[in-house]
Amino acid sequence: MLLGFNGSPKPDSNLRRIIEMMLKESGKDYRIYDLAQMDIKPCMGCVKCAKNNRCVMKDDMFPLYFENDPEIVKRANKIVKRLGNL
């Protein structure tokens, strides 16, 4: 399962179309999260995530941690960091 994260506030933005095109071309199952449409609360610094690598905040990110394998989110984070260094 591939996860795509769209940060554009526009419903049918170029960014979302590019993300969707890339994910479709992979031939794998995927899901796109439109971050601007989600209720995401800021980190409160409780450090409870250190125990199991999952945030305990009950917002729209909460299902992301439990619907998907947490290892997917960890690997995606590593890929984004690697791409950011290019």
Coordinates of all heavy atoms in Angstrom, one line a residue:
M1 N 0.9 -1.2 0.0 CA 0.0 0.0 0.0 C 0.9 1.2 0.0 O 1.7 1.4 0.9 CB -0.9 0.0 1.2 CG -1.6 1.3 1.5 SD -3.0 1.7 0.4 CE -4.2 0.6 0.9
L2 N 0.7 2.1 -1.0 CA 1.4 3.4 -1.1 C 0.5 4.5 -0.5 O -0.7 4.5 -0.7 CB 1.8 3.7 -2.5 CG 2.7 2.7 -3.2 CD1 3.0 3.1 -4.6 CD2 4.1 2.6 -2.4
L3 N 1.1 5.4 0.2 CA 0.4 6.5 0.7 C 0.9 7.8 0.1 O 2.1 8.0 -0.1 CB 0.6 6.6 2.2 CG 0.3 5.4 3.1 CD1 0.6 5.7 4.5 CD2 -1.2 5.0 2.9
G4 N -0.1 8.6 -0.4 CA 0.3 9.9 -0.9 C -0.3 11.0 -0.1 O -1.4 10.9 0.4
F5 N 0.5 12.1 0.2 CA 0.0 13.2 1.0 C 0.0 14.5 0.2 O 1.0 14.9 -0.3 CB 0.9 13.3 2.2 CG 0.9 12.2 3.1 CD1 1.7 11.1 3.0 CD2 -0.1 12.1 4.1 CE1 1.7 10.0 3.8 CE2 -0.2 11.0 5.0 CZ 0.7 10.0 4.8
N6 N -1.2 15.0 0.0 CA -1.4 16.2 -0.8 C -1.5 17.4 0.2 O -2.5 17.4 1.0 CB -2.6 16.1 -1.7 CG -3.0 17.4 -2.4 OD1 -2.1 18.2 -2.7 ND2 -4.2 17.5 -2.6
G7 N -0.6 18.4 0.1 CA -0.7 19.5 1.0 C -1.4 20.7 0.4 O -1.5 21.8 1.0
S8 N -1.8 20.7 -0.8 CA -2.5 21.8 -1.5 C -3.9 22.0 -1.0 O -4.6 21.0 -0.8 CB -2.5 21.6 -3.0 OG -3.2 22.6 -3.6
P9 N -4.3 23.2 -0.7 CA -5.7 23.5 -0.3 C -6.7 23.4 -1.4 O -7.9 23.4 -1.2 CB -5.6 24.9 0.3 CG -4.5 25.5 -0.4 CD -3.5 24.4 -0.7
K10 N -6.2 23.4 -2.7 CA -7.1 23.4 -3.8 C -7.6 21.9 -4.1 O -6.8 21.0 -4.1 CB -6.4 23.9 -5.1 CG -6.1 25.4 -4.9 CD -5.4 25.9 -6.2 CE -4.9 27.3 -6.0 NZ -4.2 27.8 -7.1
P11 N -8.9 21.7 -4.2 CA -9.4 20.4 -4.4 C -8.9 19.6 -5.5 O -8.6 18.4 -5.4 CB -10.9 20.6 -4.6 CG -11.2 22.0 -4.1 CD -9.9 22.7 -4.3
D12 N -8.7 20.2 -6.7 CA -8.2 19.4 -7.9 C -6.9 20.1 -8.4 O -6.8 20.5 -9.5 CB -9.2 19.4 -9.0 CG -8.9 18.4 -10.1 OD1 -8.2 17.4 -9.8 OD2 -9.3 18.7 -11.2
S13 N -6.0 20.3 -7.5 CA -4.7 21.0 -7.8 C -3.8 20.2 -8.7 O -3.9 19.0 -8.8 CB -4.0 21.4 -6.5 OG -3.5 20.2 -5.9
N14 N -2.9 20.9 -9.3 CA -1.8 20.2 -10.1 C -1.0 19.2 -9.2 O -0.7 18.1 -9.6 CB -0.9 21.2 -10.7 CG -1.5 22.0 -11.8 OD1 -2.5 21.5 -12.4 ND2 -1.0 23.2 -12.1
L15 N -0.8 19.6 -8.0 CA 0.0 18.7 -7.1 C -0.7 17.4 -6.8 O -0.2 16.4 -6.9 CB 0.3 19.4 -5.7 CG 1.0 18.6 -4.7 CD1 2.3 18.2 -5.1 CD2 1.1 19.4 -3.4
R16 N -2.1 17.5 -6.6 CA -2.8 16.3 -6.3 C -2.9 15.4 -7.6 O -2.7 14.2 -7.5 CB -4.3 16.6 -5.9 CG -5.0 15.3 -5.4 CD -6.4 15.6 -5.0 NE -6.9 14.6 -4.1 CZ -7.1 13.3 -4.4 NH1 -6.7 12.8 -5.6 NH2 -7.6 12.5 -3.6
R17 N -3.0 16.0 -8.7 CA -3.0 15.3 -10.0 C -1.7 14.6 -10.2 O -1.6 13.4 -10.7 CB -3.4 16.2 -11.2 CG -4.8 16.5 -11.2 CD -5.2 17.2 -12.4 NE -4.6 18.5 -12.5 CZ -5.3 19.6 -12.7 NH1 -6.5 19.6 -12.9 NH2 -4.6 20.8 -12.8
I18 N -0.6 15.3 -9.9 CA 0.8 14.7 -10.1 C 0.9 13.5 -9.1 O 1.4 12.4 -9.5 CB 1.9 15.7 -9.8 CG1 1.9 16.7 -11.0 CG2 3.2 15.1 -9.7 CD1 2.8 17.9 -10.8
I19 N 0.5 13.7 -7.9 CA 0.6 12.6 -6.9 C -0.2 11.4 -7.3 O 0.3 10.3 -7.3 CB 0.1 13.1 -5.5 CG1 1.1 14.1 -4.9 CG2 0.0 11.9 -4.5 CD1 0.6 14.9 -3.7
E20 N -1.4 11.7 -7.8 CA -2.3 10.6 -8.2 C -1.7 9.9 -9.4 O -1.7 8.6 -9.5 CB -3.7 11.1 -8.5 CG -4.6 10.0 -8.7 CD -6.1 10.4 -8.7 OE1 -6.4 11.6 -8.7 OE2 -7.0 9.5 -8.6
M21 N -1.2 10.6 -10.4 CA -0.6 10.0 -11.6 C 0.6 9.1 -11.2 O 0.7 8.0 -11.7 CB -0.1 11.1 -12.5 CG 0.5 10.6 -13.8 SD 0.9 11.9 -15.0 CE 1.6 13.2 -14.1
M22 N 1.5 9.6 -10.3 CA 2.6 8.8 -9.9 C 2.2 7.5 -9.2 O 2.8 6.5 -9.4 CB 3.5 9.6 -9.0 CG 4.3 10.7 -9.7 SD 5.2 11.9 -8.7 CE 5.8 10.9 -7.4
L23 N 1.2 7.6 -8.3 CA 0.8 6.5 -7.6 C 0.1 5.5 -8.5 O 0.3 4.2 -8.4 CB -0.2 6.9 -6.5 CG 0.5 7.7 -5.3 CD1 -0.6 8.2 -4.3 CD2 1.5 6.8 -4.6
K24 N -0.7 5.9 -9.5 CA -1.4 5.0 -10.4 C -0.4 4.3 -11.3 O -0.5 3.1 -11.5 CB -2.3 5.8 -11.3 CG -3.7 6.1 -10.8 CD -4.6 6.8 -11.8 CE -5.9 7.1 -11.2 NZ -6.8 7.8 -12.1
E25 N 0.7 5.0 -11.7 CA 1.7 4.4 -12.6 C 2.5 3.3 -11.8 O 3.1 2.5 -12.5 CB 2.6 5.5 -13.1 CG 2.0 6.3 -14.2 CD 2.9 7.3 -14.9 OE1 4.1 7.2 -14.7 OE2 2.4 8.2 -15.6
S26 N 2.5 3.4 -10.5 CA 3.2 2.4 -9.7 C 2.6 1.0 -9.9 O 3.2 0.0 -9.7 CB 3.3 2.7 -8.3 OG 2.0 2.5 -7.6
G27 N 1.3 1.0 -10.2 CA 0.6 -0.3 -10.3 C 0.2 -0.9 -9.0 O -0.3 -2.0 -8.9
K28 N 0.5 -0.3 -7.9 CA 0.2 -0.8 -6.6 C -1.0 -0.1 -6.0 O -1.5 0.9 -6.5 CB 1.4 -0.5 -5.6 CG 2.7 -1.2 -6.1 CD 3.8 -1.0 -5.2 CE 5.1 -1.5 -5.7 NZ 5.4 -2.8 -5.4
D29 N -1.6 -0.7 -4.9 CA -2.7 -0.1 -4.2 C -2.2 1.2 -3.6 O -1.0 1.2 -3.1 CB -3.3 -1.0 -3.2 CG -4.0 -2.2 -3.7 OD1 -4.5 -2.1 -4.9 OD2 -4.0 -3.3 -3.1
Y30 N -3.0 2.2 -3.5 CA -2.6 3.5 -2.9 C -3.8 4.2 -2.3 O -4.9 3.9 -2.6 CB -1.9 4.4 -3.9 CG -2.8 4.9 -5.0 CD1 -3.5 6.1 -4.9 CD2 -2.9 4.2 -6.2 CE1 -4.3 6.5 -5.9 CE2 -3.8 4.7 -7.2 CZ -4.4 5.9 -7.0 OH -5.2 6.3 -8.0
R31 N -3.5 5.1 -1.5 CA -4.5 6.0 -0.9 C -3.8 7.4 -0.8 O -2.7 7.6 -0.4 CB -4.9 5.5 0.5 CG -5.9 6.4 1.1 CD -6.5 5.8 2.3 NE -7.5 6.7 2.9 CZ -8.2 6.5 4.0 NH1 -8.0 5.4 4.7 NH2 -9.0 7.4 4.4
I32 N -4.6 8.4 -1.1 CA -4.2 9.8 -1.1 C -4.9 10.5 0.1 O -6.1 10.4 0.2 CB -4.4 10.6 -2.4 CG1 -3.7 9.9 -3.5 CG2 -4.0 12.1 -2.2 CD1 -4.0 10.6 -4.9
Y33 N -4.1 11.2 0.9 CA -4.6 12.0 2.0 C -4.5 13.4 1.7 O -3.4 13.9 1.4 CB -3.9 11.7 3.3 CG -4.1 10.3 3.9 CD1 -3.3 9.3 3.5 CD2 -5.1 10.1 4.8 CE1 -3.5 8.0 4.0 CE2 -5.3 8.8 5.3 CZ -4.5 7.8 4.9 OH -4.7 6.5 5.4
D34 N -5.7 14.1 1.7 CA -5.7 15.6 1.4 C -5.6 16.3 2.7 O -6.6 16.5 3.5 CB -7.0 15.9 0.7 CG -7.0 15.3 -0.7 OD1 -6.1 15.7 -1.5 OD2 -7.9 14.5 -1.0
L35 N -4.4 16.7 3.1 CA -4.1 17.3 4.4 C -4.9 18.5 4.7 O -5.3 18.8 5.8 CB -2.6 17.5 4.5 CG -1.7 16.3 4.3 CD1 -0.2 16.7 4.4 CD2 -2.0 15.3 5.4
A36 N -5.2 19.3 3.7 CA -5.9 20.6 3.9 C -7.3 20.3 4.3 O -8.0 21.2 5.0 CB -5.9 21.5 2.6
Q37 N -7.9 19.1 4.0 CA -9.2 18.8 4.4 C -9.3 18.1 5.7 O -10.4 17.7 6.2 CB -9.8 17.9 3.3 CG -9.7 18.4 1.9 CD -10.2 19.8 1.6 OE1 -11.3 20.1 2.1 NE2 -9.5 20.6 0.9
M38 N -8.2 17.8 6.3 CA -8.1 17.0 7.5 C -8.0 17.9 8.8 O -7.4 19.0 8.7 CB -6.9 16.0 7.5 CG -7.1 15.0 6.4 SD -5.6 14.0 6.2 CE -5.6 13.0 7.7
D39 N -8.5 17.5 9.9 CA -8.3 18.2 11.2 C -7.1 17.6 11.8 O -7.2 16.5 12.4 CB -9.6 18.0 12.0 CG -9.4 18.7 13.4 OD1 -8.7 19.6 13.5 OD2 -10.0 18.1 14.3
I40 N -6.0 18.3 11.7 CA -4.7 17.7 12.3 C -4.3 18.7 13.4 O -4.1 19.8 13.2 CB -3.6 17.6 11.2 CG1 -4.1 16.7 10.1 CG2 -2.4 17.1 11.9 CD1 -3.2 16.7 8.9
K41 N -4.2 18.1 14.6 CA -3.9 18.9 15.8 C -2.3 19.0 15.9 O -1.6 18.0 15.5 CB -4.5 18.4 17.0 CG -6.0 18.4 17.0 CD -6.6 18.1 18.3 CE -8.1 18.1 18.3 NZ -8.9 18.4 17.2
P42 N -1.8 20.1 16.5 CA -0.3 20.1 16.6 C 0.2 19.2 17.8 O -0.6 18.9 18.7 CB -0.1 21.6 17.0 CG -1.4 22.1 17.6 CD -2.5 21.3 16.9
C43 N 1.4 18.9 17.7 CA 2.1 18.1 18.7 C 2.0 18.8 20.1 O 2.3 20.0 20.1 CB 3.5 17.8 18.3 SG 4.4 16.8 19.6
M44 N 1.7 18.1 21.1 CA 1.6 18.7 22.5 C 2.9 18.3 23.3 O 3.0 18.7 24.4 CB 0.4 18.2 23.2 CG -0.9 18.7 22.5 SD -2.4 18.3 23.3 CE -2.1 19.1 24.9
G45 N 3.8 17.6 22.7 CA 5.0 17.2 23.4 C 4.9 16.3 24.5 O 5.7 16.2 25.4
C46 N 3.8 15.4 24.5 CA 3.6 14.5 25.6 C 4.6 13.3 25.5 O 4.7 12.6 26.5 CB 2.2 14.0 25.5 SG 1.8 12.9 24.1
V47 N 5.2 13.0 24.4 CA 6.2 12.0 24.2 C 5.6 10.6 24.3 O 6.3 9.6 24.4 CB 7.4 12.2 25.1 CG1 8.6 11.3 24.6 CG2 7.9 13.6 25.1
K48 N 4.3 10.4 24.3 CA 3.7 9.1 24.4 C 4.0 8.3 23.1 O 3.9 7.1 23.1 CB 2.2 9.2 24.7 CG 1.9 9.7 26.1 CD 0.4 9.8 26.4 CE 0.2 10.3 27.8 NZ -1.2 10.5 28.1
C49 N 4.3 9.0 22.0 CA 4.6 8.3 20.8 C 5.9 7.5 20.9 O 6.1 6.6 20.1 CB 4.6 9.3 19.6 SG 5.9 10.6 19.9
A50 N 6.7 7.9 21.8 CA 8.0 7.2 21.9 C 7.8 5.7 22.3 O 8.6 4.9 22.0 CB 8.9 7.9 23.0
K51 N 6.7 5.4 23.0 CA 6.4 4.0 23.4 C 6.2 3.1 22.2 O 6.7 2.0 22.2 CB 5.3 4.0 24.4 CG 5.0 2.7 25.0 CD 3.9 2.8 26.0 CE 3.6 1.5 26.7 NZ 2.5 1.5 27.7
N52 N 5.3 3.5 21.3 CA 4.9 2.6 20.2 C 5.0 3.2 18.8 O 4.4 2.7 17.9 CB 3.6 2.0 20.5 CG 2.5 3.0 20.5 OD1 2.7 4.2 20.3 ND2 1.3 2.6 20.9
N53 N 5.6 4.4 18.7 CA 5.7 5.2 17.5 C 4.3 5.5 16.9 O 4.2 5.6 15.7 CB 6.5 4.4 16.4 CG 7.1 5.3 15.4 OD1 7.5 6.4 15.7 ND2 7.3 4.8 14.2
R54 N 3.4 5.8 17.7 CA 2.0 6.2 17.3 C 1.6 7.4 18.2 O 1.6 7.3 19.4 CB 1.0 5.1 17.4 CG 1.3 4.0 16.4 CD 0.2 2.9 16.6 NE 0.5 1.8 15.6 CZ -0.3 0.8 15.5 NH1 -1.3 0.6 16.3 NH2 0.0 -0.1 14.6
C55 N 1.1 8.4 17.5 CA 0.6 9.6 18.3 C -0.8 9.2 18.9 O -1.6 8.5 18.3 CB 0.4 10.7 17.3 SG -0.2 12.2 18.1
V56 N -1.0 9.7 20.1 CA -2.2 9.4 20.8 C -3.3 10.5 20.6 O -4.4 10.3 21.1 CB -2.0 9.2 22.3 CG1 -1.1 8.0 22.6 CG2 -1.4 10.4 23.0
M57 N -3.0 11.5 19.9 CA -4.0 12.6 19.7 C -5.1 12.0 18.8 O -4.9 11.3 17.9 CB -3.3 13.8 18.9 CG -2.2 14.5 19.7 SD -2.9 15.5 21.0 CE -3.7 16.7 20.1
K58 N -6.3 12.4 19.2 CA -7.5 11.9 18.5 C -7.9 13.0 17.5 O -8.8 13.8 17.7 CB -8.7 11.7 19.5 CG -8.4 10.7 20.5 CD -8.3 9.3 20.0 CE -8.3 8.2 21.0 NZ -7.1 7.9 21.7
D59 N -7.3 13.0 16.3 CA -7.6 13.9 15.2 C -7.7 13.0 14.0 O -7.7 11.8 14.0 CB -6.6 15.0 15.1 CG -5.2 14.6 14.9 OD1 -4.9 13.4 14.6 OD2 -4.2 15.4 14.9
D60 N -7.7 13.7 12.8 CA -7.8 12.9 11.6 C -6.6 12.1 11.2 O -6.6 11.3 10.3 CB -8.1 13.9 10.4 CG -9.6 14.4 10.5 OD1 -10.4 13.8 11.2 OD2 -9.9 15.4 9.8
M61 N -5.5 12.3 11.9 CA -4.3 11.5 11.7 C -4.3 10.2 12.4 O -3.7 9.2 12.0 CB -3.0 12.3 12.1 CG -2.6 13.4 11.2 SD -2.2 12.9 9.5 CE -0.7 12.1 9.7
F62 N -5.1 10.1 13.5 CA -5.2 8.9 14.3 C -5.5 7.7 13.5 O -4.9 6.7 13.7 CB -6.3 9.2 15.4 CG -6.3 8.1 16.4 CD1 -5.4 8.0 17.5 CD2 -7.3 7.1 16.4 CE1 -5.4 7.0 18.4 CE2 -7.4 6.1 17.4 CZ -6.4 6.1 18.4
P63 N -6.6 7.7 12.6 CA -6.8 6.5 11.8 C -5.7 6.1 10.9 O -5.5 4.9 10.7 CB -8.1 6.8 11.0 CG -8.6 8.0 11.6 CD -7.5 8.7 12.3
L64 N -4.9 7.0 10.5 CA -3.7 6.7 9.6 C -2.8 5.8 10.3 O -2.3 4.8 9.7 CB -3.0 8.0 9.3 CG -1.7 7.8 8.4 CD1 -2.1 7.4 7.0 CD2 -1.0 9.1 8.4
Y65 N -2.6 6.0 11.6 CA -1.7 5.1 12.4 C -2.2 3.7 12.6 O -1.5 2.8 12.8 CB -1.3 5.7 13.7 CG -0.7 7.1 13.6 CD1 -1.3 8.2 14.2 CD2 0.5 7.3 12.9 CE1 -0.7 9.5 14.0 CE2 1.1 8.5 12.8 CZ 0.5 9.6 13.3 OH 1.1 10.8 13.2
F66 N -3.6 3.6 12.6 CA -4.2 2.3 13.0 C -4.8 1.6 11.8 O -4.9 0.4 11.8 CB -5.2 2.5 14.1 CG -4.6 2.9 15.4 CD1 -4.5 4.2 15.7 CD2 -4.0 1.9 16.2 CE1 -3.8 4.6 16.9 CE2 -3.4 2.3 17.4 CZ -3.3 3.6 17.7
E67 N -5.1 2.3 10.7 CA -5.6 1.6 9.5 C -4.5 1.0 8.7 O -4.7 0.1 8.0 CB -6.4 2.6 8.6 CG -7.7 3.1 9.2 CD -8.3 4.1 8.3 OE1 -7.8 4.5 7.2 OE2 -9.4 4.6 8.7
N68 N -3.3 1.6 8.8 CA -2.2 1.2 8.0 C -1.1 0.6 8.9 O -1.1 0.9 10.1 CB -1.6 2.4 7.3 CG -2.6 3.0 6.3 OD1 -3.0 2.4 5.4 ND2 -3.0 4.2 6.6
D69 N -0.3 -0.2 8.4 CA 0.8 -0.8 9.1 C 1.8 0.4 9.5 O 2.2 1.1 8.6 CB 1.5 -1.8 8.1 CG 2.8 -2.4 8.7 OD1 3.2 -2.1 9.9 OD2 3.4 -3.2 8.0
P70 N 2.1 0.5 10.8 CA 3.0 1.6 11.2 C 4.3 1.6 10.5 O 5.0 2.6 10.3 CB 3.1 1.5 12.7 CG 2.6 0.1 13.0 CD 1.7 -0.3 11.9
E71 N 4.7 0.4 10.0 CA 6.0 0.3 9.3 C 6.0 1.1 8.0 O 7.0 1.6 7.5 CB 6.4 -1.1 9.1 CG 6.8 -1.9 10.4 CD 8.0 -1.2 11.1 OE1 9.0 -0.9 10.4 OE2 7.9 -1.1 12.3
I72 N 4.8 1.1 7.4 CA 4.6 1.9 6.1 C 4.9 3.3 6.3 O 5.6 4.0 5.6 CB 3.2 1.7 5.5 CG1 3.0 0.3 5.1 CG2 3.0 2.7 4.4 CD1 1.6 -0.1 4.6
V73 N 4.4 3.9 7.4 CA 4.6 5.3 7.7 C 6.1 5.5 8.0 O 6.6 6.5 7.6 CB 3.7 5.7 8.9 CG1 3.9 7.2 9.3 CG2 2.2 5.5 8.5
K74 N 6.7 4.6 8.7 CA 8.1 4.8 9.0 C 9.0 4.8 7.8 O 9.8 5.6 7.6 CB 8.6 3.7 10.0 CG 8.3 3.9 11.4 CD 9.2 2.9 12.2 CE 8.4 2.2 13.3 NZ 9.2 1.2 13.9
R75 N 8.7 3.8 6.9 CA 9.5 3.7 5.6 C 9.2 5.0 4.8 O 10.1 5.5 4.1 CB 9.1 2.5 4.9 CG 9.7 1.2 5.5 CD 9.6 0.0 4.6 NE 8.2 -0.3 4.2 CZ 7.5 -1.2 4.8 NH1 7.9 -1.9 5.8 NH2 6.2 -1.4 4.5
A76 N 8.0 5.4 4.7 CA 7.7 6.6 3.9 C 8.4 7.8 4.4 O 9.0 8.6 3.7 CB 6.2 6.9 3.9
N77 N 8.5 8.0 5.7 CA 9.3 9.1 6.3 C 10.7 9.0 5.9 O 11.3 10.0 5.6 CB 9.2 9.0 7.9 CG 9.8 10.2 8.5 OD1 9.7 11.3 8.0 ND2 10.3 10.0 9.7
K78 N 11.3 7.8 5.9 CA 12.7 7.7 5.4 C 12.9 8.1 4.0 O 13.8 8.7 3.6 CB 13.2 6.3 5.7 CG 13.3 5.9 7.2 CD 13.7 4.5 7.4 CE 13.7 4.2 8.9 NZ 14.0 2.8 9.1
I79 N 11.9 7.7 3.1 CA 12.0 8.0 1.7 C 11.9 9.5 1.5 O 12.7 10.1 0.8 CB 10.9 7.3 0.9 CG1 11.1 5.8 0.9 CG2 10.8 7.9 -0.5 CD1 10.0 5.0 0.4
V80 N 11.0 10.2 2.2 CA 10.9 11.7 2.0 C 12.1 12.3 2.5 O 12.6 13.3 1.8 CB 9.6 12.2 2.8 CG1 9.6 13.7 2.9 CG2 8.4 11.7 2.2
K81 N 12.7 11.9 3.6 CA 13.9 12.5 4.1 C 15.1 12.3 3.1 O 15.8 13.2 2.8 CB 14.3 11.9 5.4 CG 13.5 12.4 6.6 CD 14.0 11.8 7.9 CE 13.1 12.3 9.0 NZ 13.5 11.7 10.3
R82 N 15.1 11.1 2.5 CA 16.2 10.8 1.5 C 16.0 11.7 0.3 O 17.0 12.3 -0.2 CB 16.1 9.4 1.1 CG 17.4 8.9 0.4 CD 17.4 7.4 0.1 NE 17.1 6.6 1.3 CZ 16.3 5.6 1.3 NH1 15.7 5.2 0.2 NH2 16.0 4.9 2.5
L83 N 14.8 11.9 -0.2 CA 14.5 12.7 -1.4 C 14.8 14.2 -1.1 O 15.2 14.9 -2.0 CB 13.1 12.6 -1.8 CG 12.7 11.2 -2.5 CD1 11.2 11.2 -2.8 CD2 13.5 11.0 -3.7
G84 N 14.6 14.6 0.2 CA 14.8 16.0 0.6 C 16.3 16.3 0.5 O 16.7 17.5 0.4
N85 N 17.2 15.4 0.6 CA 18.6 15.6 0.6 C 19.2 15.7 -0.8 O 20.4 16.0 -1.0 CB 19.4 14.5 1.3 CG 19.1 14.6 2.8 OD1 18.8 15.6 3.3 ND2 19.1 13.4 3.5
L86 N 18.4 15.4 -1.9 CA 18.9 15.5 -3.2 C 19.1 16.9 -3.7 O 18.5 17.8 -3.3 CB 17.9 14.8 -4.2 CG 17.7 13.3 -3.9 CD1 16.6 12.7 -4.9 CD2 19.0 12.5 -4.1

